[in-house]
Amino acid sequence: MPIPTSKSELLDAITERFAKLDRALDAIPAGLADEKNMEGHAKGTFMSPNNLVSYLIGWNVLVLKWLEHDRNGETVVFPEVGYKWNQLGALAQKFYGDYSAHDFDENRRELARVKDRLIAEISDRTDDELYGTPWHGKWTKGRMIQFNSSSPYENARGRIRKWLKQKTP
């Protein structure tokens, strides 16, 4: 799928990639959802499929926070207060912890809810707001949203498929 350059393309990318991810998550046996033997987001770490879903929730919530701050005329801190772009492994660990009390099914439902909130936020914006001007460095708002929603969905799907192949003799 090409990189989205309009609101409709961004909404399609998020919807389509989420649906594919959701089908991949359906293939994970319940007993393996918390097994921490998938390569983690920080070098030398391991995560579970449930941690991976937590990571996606964390990024979606963070994007929603960016959009809220922007809408309210507040300063948007990228990527997150207390983290720099070269500390994304530590941020991933934070996201794992933020949702560690929830089981796999609860986290999947939460991911669907935050994805739906993100779609609503995007739907409330114009093509010009999303793609007309840079927002963070050279990146437009739409591109920053895509970097942290549909792209990670696709990456997570690939990780899950690879992990499942390793689980199957």
Side-chain angles (χ1 to χ4, degrees), residues 5-90:
T5 58
S6 70
K7 177 169 92 171
S8 64
E9 289 175 4
L10 179 59
L11 290 168
D12 287 347
I14 290 170
T15 301
E16 290 172 23
R17 289 178 179 166
F18 184 85
K20 289 178 181 180
L21 169 64
D22 203 40
R23 286 191 296 275
L25 293 171
D26 285 342
I28 296 172
L32 300 181
D34 287 310
E35 237 182 60
K36 291 186 179 183
N37 54 12
M38 182 185 299
E39 185 178 330
H41 290 95
K43 186 176 180 175
T45 65
F46 292 91
M47 66 178 168
S48 68
N50 197 19
N51 291 146
L52 181 57
V53 174
S54 297
Y55 171 83
L56 296 171
I57 296 167
W59 273 108
N60 279 221
V61 167
L62 190 53
V63 171
L64 289 167
K65 178 180 168 181
W66 295 343
L67 294 172
E68 179 184 348
H69 283 222
D70 183 68
R71 179 173 280 177
N72 294 338
E74 300 168 4
T75 300
V76 180
V77 177
F78 295 101
E80 171 62 305
V81 174
Y83 295 89
K84 295 182 185 326
W85 287 112
N86 65 353
Q87 298 173 309
L88 296 182

Side-chain angles (χ1 to χ4, degrees), residues 34 50 99-109:
D34 287 310
N50 197 19
Y99 303 95
S100 63
H102 304 157
D103 70 27
F104 187 57
D105 290 334
E106 289 172 303
N107 276 339
R108 287 188 65 190
R109 286 189 296 275

